[in-house]
Amino acid sequence: MWKALSLFVFLVSCSQPLVKQSSTAKKRKYPKITRSKPEVVAEEPKTDLKLLKKLQDKNAVILDMRDVNAFVNGHLKGAQHMDFLKADFEGRVTKLDRNKRYLLYCSTGGLSGKAIHYFVAQKLRVENIGTFDELMTRGAPVEGVEID
């Protein structure tokens, strides 16, 4: 009996507002805000000037770590192919010029990330500049890519 009565009192007290609005209080009228749809404009990819400067450095060698098929289907302009998965990769790294700076890229960043260790072991200056798709969107010049 007490449980039912206390539940009833609780429900009645919750249903009534704690603060009553006076009937003389004015309701605020807010201006109606209309929003126009933004105009969608296809933008040209922004060129990363720092990246272009690196790629155009006469002392830099751009190396594509992807397989031959990926390289043939498109690569950075001036890039040389050096397949990380080939058996002779480590031997080719030992023959590289120590006075050059090597810029590596691949499809996902994994191969070039692993390849860096071989370059560092030979005390070569090396940098992983990203993935091929990322480099294209940053405005890097490419060869062998058909654009729709």
Side-chain angles (χ1 to χ4, degrees):
M1 171 79 177
W2 287 104
K3 288 183 183 179
L5 184 59
S6 61
L7 179 63
F8 175 75
V9 171
F10 175 76
L11 291 175
V12 170
S13 66
C14 289
S15 65
Q16 296 180 4
L18 296 175
V19 178
K20 292 184 181 179
Q21 281 187 329
S22 68
S23 59
T24 59
K26 294 182 181 178
K27 292 185 179 178
R28 290 186 182 173
K29 291 186 179 179
Y30 295 102
K32 186 175 182 181
I33 298 173
T34 58
R35 295 183 182 167
S36 60
K37 292 183 180 178
E39 186 178 326
V40 178
V41 178
E43 292 184 24
E44 290 288 323
K46 293 184 179 178
T47 303
D48 185 342
L49 297 177
K50 288 181 181 178
L51 173 66
L52 287 180
K53 189 175 179 182
K54 285 181 188 178
L55 297 176
Q56 294 170 351
D57 182 6
K58 295 197 185 290
N59 208 24
V61 178
I62 306 165
L63 294 176
D64 188 326
M65 298 287 116
R66 302 175 301 159
D67 64 32
V68 175
N69 292 332
F71 181 79
V72 170
N73 288 323
H75 53 272
L76 294 185
K77 188 173 184 177
Q80 298 174 19
H81 181 250
M82 186 180 238
D83 191 347
F84 175 73
L85 299 175
K86 288 233 173 172
D88 67 338
F89 175 76
E90 193 172 350
R92 290 181 66 191
V93 172
T94 60
K95 296 176 185 174
L96 293 174
D97 185 356
R98 291 185 192 277
N99 298 319
K100 297 286 185 181
R101 182 172 173 218
Y102 296 94
L103 306 174
L104 311 182
Y105 73 93
C106 64
S107 297
T108 63
L111 294 177
S112 53
K114 291 175 185 176
I116 282 181
H117 299 291
Y118 292 95
F119 285 78
V120 171
Q122 296 299 318
K123 298 184 172 104
L124 296 167
R125 293 183 302 154
V126 63
E127 181 180 349
N128 186 352
I129 57 173
T131 68
F132 181 64
D133 290 337
E134 175 191 329
L135 294 167
M136 282 195 330
T137 59
R138 290 171 57 195
V142 294
E143 298 176 322
V145 177
E146 291 183 25
I147 300 174
D148 296 331

